Amino acid sequence: MSLRITFITAGRILRQLLNDRRTVVLILAVPSLMIALISAIMDAAPDVFDSVGLILLAFFPFMMMFMITSITLLRERTGGTLERLMTTPTGKLDLVGGYAIAFGVAAASQTVIAASVAYLFLGLETAGPAWAVFLIAVVSSLFGMALGLFVSAFATTEFQAIQFMPVFVVPQLLLCGLIWPRDQMAGWLQGVSDALPITYAVKALTEVQTNPEITAAMWRDLSIVAAAALVATVLGAATLRRRTN
Amino acid sequence: MPPTPEAAIAVDDLVVDRGGQPVLKSVSTRIAAGSVTGLLGPSGSGKTTFIRAVVGTQKVKSGTVEVLGRPAGTKPLRSRVAYVTQDASIYPDLSVKANVAYFAALYGRSRSEAMGAIERVGMGDHAHKLAANLSGGQKTRTSLACALVIEPEVLVLDEPTVGLDPVIREELWDQFRGLAEQGATLLVSSHVMDEADRCDRLLLLREGRFIADDTPADLRASTGTANLEAAFLHLIRELEKAN
């Protein structure tokens, strides 16, 4: 692994992203608009918005990173550039690291905008500090990236890659406690929920919401998300083959 | 086949299967350093598979491929061997300059070296265009610039001249010759026989086997034909008779 090549790769991926102005605008603006919409829907119940809006702050970067990573990497695989890169000094981890840095920057920018809008204009309130929310959102987005990387190996077209969303992203949204409290789900479903990493991102956010101080429970939940991101990255890197048929 | 010390690429009994079908059926050859070798054959004969084995991206069933004395595709070779794929492997959402500068940077080469390579393939006027908006030939030349910029010791090109303007094709072949004179080893696949005469040596691939491995002049002489197209046909007929 070479740090120099990792940063060159990250620079290239960011440049690709910046050349696509429309996508940049969508990435930066859509989460804020959606959270504003949710806030208007829950107009009469600001305390409900405090928990739902907060969860969305971490969920959007996760979903966005999953989508853009799976599609960009699929393009690398099908467009021949991945094969070409595998004949250059670029290591697999350089490539994955480049993606993590580039899309991590994108996810962080998105989160800063969405969190600013939520805190300053939509009246979002948390007992704990905003930086902890930001940190949880960025770690969740890296998990999304790693999952997208892994999934791109199983799609042969962009259409298929999009179809993986309902399989890998939607269940985590439904079971993380956003639409229904986890302790009121069927027992077996709680077990499934326990196995999904985004559940722990939500638990960490709940800690920030209710405690003015950073708690040990928050660090524990956040480490679980980080560990899941690491495992998915290793699995994803394993799908990058230097030799193929 | 006796080993020649100056061989830049040495292939022995290479067998490759794809999807259960044999694509290369035990091929062997030696490619001399500082030469241009043409890999000719109809489409589907296994040219791309052979090339991918040389750059180390193809899974092989058996046999060995050595480049510059090391197993193909191993780490030390990745900064010395460049590969230009058949379809231009460049990023459509980056400009010509950004594409070449990226590949240049991976090898520690500067942006001015990248511009030099862009000029050499005649893309200087289009350097700021997005690759997505280029014609097929322009994409091919951009892809080629991404390989030329690293000044590789071994340059492997898969049908680099398809769809190119004859003038540009001529210029590229002059460049290939120039690189070989500076000591680089080039392996160029083509299905256009009129390019064969520009090579030092020819490998004729048909149905996964080399049916000739010779210089253009010797190939014409041994088959008693005036042009290489006729020589290729002659060899195929001889083989069919023998079967």
Side-chain angles (χ1 to χ4, degrees), chain A residues 125-183:
Chain A
E125 283 177 7
T126 52
W131 66 260
V133 175
F134 175 76
L135 185 66
I136 296 166
V138 171
V139 173
S140 304
S141 77
L142 291 179
F143 171 59
M145 181 221 69
L147 205 57
L149 170 71
F150 177 67
V151 159
S152 73
F154 304 100
T156 51
T157 63
E158 291 182 21
F159 192 53
Q160 285 177 9
I162 290 291
Q163 300 306 314
F164 278 122
M165 282 267 297
V167 182
F168 288 89
V169 175
V170 175
Q172 308 214 52
L173 179 67
L174 294 180
L175 299 181
C176 71
L178 175 72
I179 63 156
W180 200 251
R182 283 177 4 102
D183 54 11

Side-chain angles (χ1 to χ4, degrees), chain A residues 1 4-5 8-9 12 15-16 19 75-76 79-81 83-90 242-245, chain B residues 17-18 52 56-59 72 78 83 89-91 93-94 98 102-103 105-107 130 143 146-147:
Chain A
M1 184 168 181
R4 188 181 65 82
I5 291 182
I8 290 168
T9 308
R12 182 265 295 176
R15 193 185 288 268
Q16 282 181 283
N19 279 349
R75 286 186 186 160
E76 293 243 30
T81 48
E83 174 167 301
R84 183 173 207 162
L85 285 180
M86 288 296 156
T87 67
T88 73
T90 308
R242 212 170 274 282
R243 281 179 189 272
T244 54
N245 256 319
Chain B
D17 284 2
R18 295 183 72 180
R52 293 183 72 234
T57 59
Q58 176 67 51
K59 272 187 193 155
R78 284 179 215 143
Y83 172 34
S89 296
I90 51 174
Y91 295 97
D93 43 6
L94 288 181
Y102 170 56
F103 284 102
L106 292 179
Y107 296 85
L130 274 191
S143 188
C146 295

Side-chain angles (χ1 to χ4, degrees), chain B residues 96-114:
Chain B
V96 170
K97 193 178 172 187
N99 265 295
V100 183
Y102 170 56
F103 284 102
L106 292 179
Y107 296 85
R109 304 274 173 163
S110 69
R111 294 182 75 82
S112 62
E113 284 173 290

